[in-house]
Structure formats: structure tokens, C-alpha cells
Amino acid sequence: MVIVTTIRREVLTLPTAELGPDNPLPPLRLLDEAHRVDDRDREELPRGGGAPGRAKPRLGEARQVGYEPLRSLLPTRVRDGYDRDRAPRRIDALVIENDRLRATVLPALGGRIASLVHKPADRELLYRNPVLQPANFALNGAWFSGGIEWNIGATGHTTLSCAPLHAARVPAPDGGEMLRLWEWERLRDLPFQIDLWLPDGSDFLYVGVRVRNPHERPAPGYWWSNIAVPEERRVLAPASEAWHFGYERRLRRVPVPSYDEVDRTYPLNSPYPADYFYGIPDGRRRWIAALDADGHGLVQTSTDVLRGRKLFVWGTGSGGRRWQEWLTEPGTGGYCEIQAGLARTQLEHVRLDPESEVSWLEAYGPLDARAEGEWSTVVDGAEARLETALPRADVDAAHTAWKPYADTEPGEILATGSGWGALEVLRADWKLPGTPFEESTLGEAQAPWAELLRSGVLPEPRRVRPPGETLVAPHWRDMLETAPATPLTEYHLGVAQWHAGDRAQAVRSWERALELAPSLWPLLRCLAVADQEAGNHQRAADRYNEAFADLCHERRDAGERWTAATAALGREAVEALLRVRRTADARAVWEMLHPATRERGRFLLLQAELLLAEGRRDDAWAVFADGFEVADLREGTESIGRLWARLTDEPLPARYDFRMRPETS
């Protein structure tokens, strides 16, 4: 058999906003995560089901919602250094193609599938964003819309949304080639891989996914594949009910397709952004499709382990429409998302047994079926067309055929991810066939930790600079506890102890370090956060003020690292000082920020708040009148609207309206 599937490199040129530097301050608190359920709704969730890849009962959905929720972003960093100044930039891509489909993958951006084209019809099956604009939707900040994204870690968009993955060619089960993507997910400390291949003549892209837990302890698992499609579609899934979750943070059961006399399977029939988690009956084939008025569109199906299916809509309200414009170019059309996950809802995490793995196979391709009409008839018809195009048994057989190839060692390396996986493999000597984390990928960020591993000593930096990243897993915390107690070691140990929930011990570590540390501001900032969490806001303000003064004295240049540290600490300090009404001190911090920092939208909003606190209402109003854009505005935030309401009773201007829930909520 002649295999005609090809994998090649390509360079895309897109209007792109640069990511900029990461925030150098350790994220001792979570960013506000919109996907949290009210406790009063939790007990209404169903119980029971089978665990992924296991033949024993799974935690019921109600318990899974409470199973190992994310309490910290550590050891990752917040990514908030991007802006909204888009310019044509080159983006490396990998294209996998046969005679029927062409998939374009962005390995440096979380392995996102940016485009999936059905060649016979010359039809793009996804929503392909014409720009690359980071926005504050990922667990750690930067994320962008469009295509197919792979979400691993915890409830929310993955911290790898804008991060590089390893990529390589690998033999496929049919004798052709697969494109393998792999990385080490740091929130849960789990390696994973994604294998993409196109069987000869197939109308479906196959995606084999494996998540491993190499530890001698259970780990919380999370996965959702998010597929952006044009919103002028009808979304079909084999369900007669769903769990509706909106930005009011309430979860409730609703009928499908209609409730309140409105058919919600049409994304533009919903007024506000919302999730619909479909209740697909056990034993029913797992699939979801989005079809246009002519019945053309995309279908996603999988083996049964990937049990959840969801529709996300932006809605027709002013806030949802503003977000749509924010994430792309005005006038380019909106999108919705159809999704598939390990659990029934995204509010849950599943238990991965010690030294185990879970795997499944997904398939993406075109579907032509009737979209209009009575719900059960339309769904049954679409499922029948799917069965003809790709029988359910064939998906199961493809997964079985792929599993031996999941261990095949990669061939030509096409892209390189981070060195964190290599550090973990070096530490534990893990054998992970198919996903090599080579020591050659270790870089500057891993160097001090590799030295700690080799010598038991965390080295001091050669020159004064903001501290590097902290590793917080129990094994690294143990190494820090036995290392010589230098100020830098105590700083990192305190961060690791904070992550573990031992806040009193973290404070003691930071206080010990203060006695000898040549650089005080990182420690003072950590102690200020601890004060805030303990409700001591006056002392927190004192420490923030002292920390910022120390940083300004210590900073050596206006380079990227120092500028990012000054902006991040300055913002926190101003906010802490305003909280205790120390406006003069807040103004002094503001004036010491770099001029370019003060012109960023986030800081213009902060300036308006500071002006209002100073009693300069007209000047605060002028900031809004002149206009600003907060590049890292958080999903679901209402800070702009709240400040506007303190200034005036006039309606919130459309450019500042990012509200994602009814005003009465």
C-alpha cells in the first residue's frame, strides 16, 4: 500500500501580539477562576460511573467536583506580559496532510490545531482565528482563541496554552507517519502525549492521547479537547438533558434542546455566555457535531473513556459580543466551542491511580447531515451518517491498533518544548517509552535545580536579578529542607511550603531569610501576601511599600526582567496601599514605575482608581474618556464596570462592557 500522508514544516504570518515576559513574582494565589460551582448545587450532581481506563467504580460527579481542586498555580508563572499591539509575525507550524484533510499545528503554542481543511470541499472545518491575540483566559493568563486546543491540568484553560511542546515524527499504525506532541504538565506533575495521524484516504484526523501518572501516589486527572467552530451552527449531541453553568456560578439541570421555550442548541439563541454539559447516556456513542443551515460541518467522536461533551456559547449580550471582538478582529465572525472531556463536566477532576495511565482515541472530520428539525430525529440521523462515515467499531479498533505505537520512540525532532520534563526524569530515572525528555533540553531555568539535585546545594546567582522559578513538589521541598539554609534557599523553601498549605512555616522561612538576604523585596512581597491572606492589610501595605522601595534601589537596568518585576510588584503595592486608603504612598509608588509601564491599559485603569481615591473624580473620568485597553483583562472580571459605576450613573460604554452575566446576578 502506498502511504500518501505527509508531515512538513510551514511558516504562518499572522497579525500577532507578542507574549512578552512572564510575571516574575511567584503566584501565591490563584487567578480568579470563573468555573467554580456554588456548594448548594454540588449535591445535586449524579453519582456513579466507571473510572477512565479502570474497571472499578469512579468517584461520582458530586465527589469529583470536590476532588483535588487546584489551590495554587505553582510551580508555573503568570503570563501577563503581552499587549494588544499586533503586527505581522512569523509562526512556526507543522502540517499533516493526506489527500482528504490538511491539519495545521502550532507546536510552540500548546500544540494547537489552528486549521483543519476538508480538501474535496475546500472547506475549513474549524473557526480559524485570523489573528493571534493573547487574552487572560488560561489558568496562568495568556491564551488565544480558535482551532482545537488540548487542556490538561485542572479546571480551566491549560497553563500550556501559549507554551512550546516537543514534537517529532513517529511511525503510524498503518505504516505511515504520525505527528507526536508531548510535554510535562507541571500543575499535576504528569507527562502526556498527543499523536496525530491521517490514514490513507481517510476523511478523519485520528488523535491518540495518553496521560501518565508515574508517581507512587494517585493524581488528579483532567482533560478537555476544545474545538472552536463558527457560531452560526446548530450543535448536536446524543443527549436529552444538560447541566447549564453560567457566570453566575450556578449549576442546574436543563432539558435539551429547549428550555424557557428557546432552542439552546443554536449558539446565538443564548443571551449570555454559558456552558452546556450534555448528559450522554451510558452505552451511547460519544460524539458532538456543529452543522450549518445546509447540514455541513464538523463532527468529533471518541472512544468511551472521553465521556463528556459540552457546548460553550458567548451569547448575544453586549458583554459576550465585546469579548468576541476582543479575541479577534471586529467583523470577522464569532465562534462557539464544542468540547470533549474525561468527566461529565469541567468542574470535576478524576483520580489517576499510582503508576497508571489513561488513553483514548479521538477522531475529527466532516459531517453532512440534516441539522434542522425535531431534535431526536435530527440527532439519530446525524449519528447514522457518522456511523456510515466512521463506524464506532473502527474508532475502537484504531485505538487498539495505536496503543503499541504509543511507546515507539520518536524519529526526527520537529520542535522542542521545555526542560522541566528532563529535570523530573533526571531526578527519578523514570522510563517513559515514546516520550523522551532528553537531558539536552535542560536550560537556564532548570540549571539551579539540576545543581541542587547533583550537589544538594542551591547555587547563588552570579549577578543580582529577580529570583527564578520555584519547584514545589514534595521531593523538591524535601531537598530544599536539607540544603544549606542560604537566604535564596529559604525563599524557595517558603514558596514550596506555602504551596503545600503550611503557611506558618512558610512565613518563618521567609522571616529567617530576611536576616541575611542581600535582596529583601522578594521576601517582603511574599510576607505581604501572607499578611493579606491573614487579614492584616495594614502590615501588608507596609511591607509592600518597603518591598517596592527596595526593588527600585536594587534594580540594575531597564531590561525585560527588571521592568516586569517592577510592574508586577508596583501594581500589587498600589492596590494594597489603596485598600488601606494610603493614597499618598500609592501615588509615590505609581510615580516610580517606568513611564512605558504607566501607559499600559492595566495601569491606566489603576491610575483612574488612584485618582478617584485622591478625590480627583474629573481626572479619573478623563482616563475613561481618553480610552484604554486592559490587555490582560481576566475572563469574567467586572472591575472596569465597578469603577465606572463609582464615577457616574451613565450606562457603561460598549468598549468597556465585558460583563458575562445578567446585571441582576
Side-chain angles (χ1 to χ4, degrees):
M1 179 176 64
V2 177
I3 303 297
V4 296
T5 299
T6 61
I7 299 173
R8 69 176 188 276
R9 300 178 190 270
E10 193 169 279
V11 176
L12 306 180
T13 300
L14 289 177
T16 301
E18 290 193 275
L19 280 170
D22 289 352
N23 188 324
L25 306 183
L28 301 179
R29 289 175 289 215
L30 288 170
L31 301 182
D32 184 39
E33 172 51 45
H35 297 89
R36 295 182 184 176
V37 65
D38 192 305
D39 287 341
R40 58 189 163 176
D41 296 328
R42 183 173 299 178
E43 291 306 315
E44 296 180 14
L45 283 165
R47 288 163 162 70
R54 296 287 169 188
K56 62 183 183 182
R58 170 169 48 191
L59 294 169
E61 277 83 351
R63 291 177 60 198
Q64 286 182 174
V65 169
Y67 175 60
E68 294 290 344
L70 193 66
R71 294 183 174 88
S72 169
L73 288 179
L74 292 164
T76 64
R77 284 186 161 179
V78 172
R79 312 202 70 178
D80 60 3
Y82 51 88
D83 55 31
R84 292 185 59 79
D85 296 328
R86 294 193 288 266
R89 292 186 172 92
R90 292 163 62 87
I91 301 169
D92 290 334
L94 298 171
V95 176
I96 179 169
E97 184 172 14
N98 67 1
D99 58 337
R100 309 290 294 178
L101 285 175
R102 180 173 64 250
T104 302
V105 181
L106 308 181
L109 294 164
R112 182 81 58 101
I113 298 180
S115 170
L116 184 62
V117 175
H118 186 224
K119 294 164 67 174
D122 191 26
R123 182 180 297 131
E124 173 65 66
L125 299 179
L126 305 175
Y127 169 76
R128 182 171 186 170
N129 198 333
V131 305
L132 204 163
Q133 176 58 62
N136 195 355
F137 279 68
L139 287 166
N140 63 336
W143 167 91
F144 65 102
S145 64
I148 304 172
E149 59 174 304
W150 318 109
N151 289 295
I152 181 174
T155 298
H157 293 280
T158 178
T159 61
L160 296 167
S161 293
C162 293
L165 305 190
H166 301 281
R169 299 179 191 269
V170 185
D174 62 357
E177 287 185 321
M178 293 190 293
L179 173 60
R180 175 164 298 163
L181 307 165
W182 72 99
E183 244 304 349
W184 197 279
E185 200 288 312
R186 301 179 67 204
L187 292 180
R188 303 304 198 180
D189 229 8
L190 303 176
F192 69 96
Q193 73 187 77
I194 305 162
D195 287 353
L196 299 92
W197 78 102
L198 287 165
D200 185 26
S202 175
D203 278 318
F204 286 85
L205 172 68
Y206 286 177
V207 182
V209 182
R210 174 167 64 172
V211 180
R212 288 164 156 151
N213 176 17
H215 304 285
E216 295 178 348
R217 53 175 170 76
Y222 177 91
W223 185 280
W224 281 81
S225 302
N226 292 8
I227 309 123
V229 293
E231 65 184 349
E232 293 182 351
R233 298 288 187 270
R234 191 181 196 190
V235 173
L236 308 180
S240 59
E241 65 176 17
W243 291 95
H244 170 275
F245 184 79
Y247 284 77
E248 309 94 320
R249 298 189 177 181
R250 293 300 311 276
L251 188 69
R252 57 196 177 100
R253 195 192 305 261
V254 298
V256 175
S258 300
Y259 71 91
D260 293 341
E261 301 182 350
V262 177
D263 189 331
R264 309 290 173 155
T265 63
Y266 294 90
L268 290 174
N269 281 354
S270 291
Y272 295 100
D275 300 328
Y276 296 90
F277 298 103
Y278 293 118
I280 299 178
D282 290 342
R284 190 79 183 260
R285 183 173 185 174
R286 306 286 158 174
W287 64 274
I288 190 168
L291 306 180
D292 64 21
D294 295 324
H296 306 307
L298 172 99
V299 64
Q300 187 271 2
T301 188
S302 71
T303 48
D304 289 352
V305 164
L306 203 67
R307 71 190 302 253
R309 292 300 185 275
K310 170 191 156 183
L311 165 64
F312 167 75
V313 300
W314 282 107
T316 56
S318 57
R321 304 329 293 171
R322 183 70 179 108
W323 275 115
Q324 292 266 32
E325 294 176 355
W326 188 254
L327 298 172
T328 183
E329 292 280 10
T332 56
Y335 75 97
C336 64
E337 288 183 353
I338 56 175
Q339 305 180 10
L342 276 177
R344 181 170 296 184
T345 76
Q346 283 175 330
L347 310 172
E348 306 162 64
H349 301 99
V350 301
R351 184 182 188 272
L352 300 181
D353 287 341
E355 298 179 325
S356 71
E357 65 180 49
V358 59
S359 72
W360 62 90
L361 186 123
E362 304 179 47
Y364 297 82
L367 183 68
D368 293 318
R370 181 184 173 192
E372 307 295 330
E374 193 272 330
W375 177 248
S376 61
T377 301
V378 167
V379 168
D380 290 346
E383 188 165 319
R385 295 297 296 267
L386 172 61
E387 185 65 20
T388 299
L390 182 64
R392 183 179 186 180
D394 287 3
V395 176
D396 292 335
H399 180 228
T400 300
W402 164 72
K403 286 202 294 186
Y405 288 82
D407 284 347
T408 303
E409 293 304 315
E412 179 190 0
I413 300 297
L414 300 172
T416 303
S418 79
W420 296 112
L423 184 66
E424 293 301 327
V425 169
L426 185 65
R427 179 194 64 81
D429 194 29
W430 275 316
K431 308 302 180 187
L432 301 169
T435 54
F437 294 96
E438 302 292 349
E439 194 168 344
S440 61
T441 62
L442 293 171
E444 180 184 0
Q446 294 83 39
W449 299 97
E451 180 61 29
L452 175 65
L453 184 62
R454 282 190 288 264
S455 68
V457 177
L458 192 67
E460 292 291 326
R462 295 182 179 178
R463 62 182 185 275
V464 176
R465 61 170 60 181
E469 298 183 58
T470 301
L471 296 182
V472 296
H475 40 268
W476 291 107
R477 189 173 71 247
D478 291 345
M479 280 185 258
L480 289 168
E481 287 175 344
T482 58
T486 66
L488 182 63
T489 300
E490 294 281 18
Y491 162 80
H492 285 296
L493 176 59
V495 175
Q497 290 165 333
W498 182 273
H499 169 78
D502 191 349
R503 295 188 170 184
Q505 189 59 55
V507 167
R508 286 192 286 271
S509 295
W510 292 326
E511 289 177 339
R512 282 196 304 269
L514 273 178
E515 299 174 7
L516 297 174
S519 181
L520 302 181
W521 66 266
L523 297 159
L524 289 168
R525 183 265 176 176
C526 290
L527 289 167
V529 173
D531 286 334
Q532 287 180 324
E533 292 296 293
N536 194 337
H537 296 289
Q538 287 289 353
R539 190 168 67 179
D542 289 338
R543 281 176 160 161
Y544 266 122
N545 212 23
E546 185 181 352
F548 190 75
D550 185 68
L551 183 151
C552 291
H553 175 74
E554 182 179 282
R555 65 188 180 194
R556 295 298 188 262
D557 52 48
E560 187 176 78
R561 288 191 182 187
W562 284 111
T563 299
T566 305
L569 184 58
R571 173 184 167 185
E572 290 186 11
V574 171
E575 291 171 343
L577 290 162
L578 286 178
R579 182 165 189 168
V580 295
R581 301 182 180 180
R582 288 167 55 176
T583 55
D585 288 335
R587 174 59 65 185
V589 170
W590 171 266
E591 296 296 340
M592 294 177 71
L593 294 169
H594 293 101
T597 297
R598 294 199 299 262
E599 292 302 313
R600 290 165 53 184
R602 167 62 62 187
F603 289 85
L604 290 173
L605 177 62
L606 190 58
Q607 164 82 325
E609 186 174 354
L610 175 56
L611 289 166
L612 184 60
E614 293 171 329
R616 299 161 61 185
R617 182 177 298 271
D618 290 344
D619 291 334
W621 170 274
V623 174
F624 278 87
D626 290 343
F628 59 85
E629 291 186 326
V630 181
D632 61 329
L633 192 68
R634 185 67 176 166
E635 173 191 14
T637 189
E638 297 176 354
S639 56
I640 295 179
R642 286 197 298 267
L643 182 57
W644 176 266
R646 290 168 59 196
L647 285 170
T648 177
D649 293 330
E650 294 185 15
L652 183 65
R655 67 177 300 180
Y656 299 125
D657 187 357
F658 293 90
R659 293 171 294 189
M660 301 178 77
R661 59 177 181 163
E663 292 185 54
T664 56
S665 298

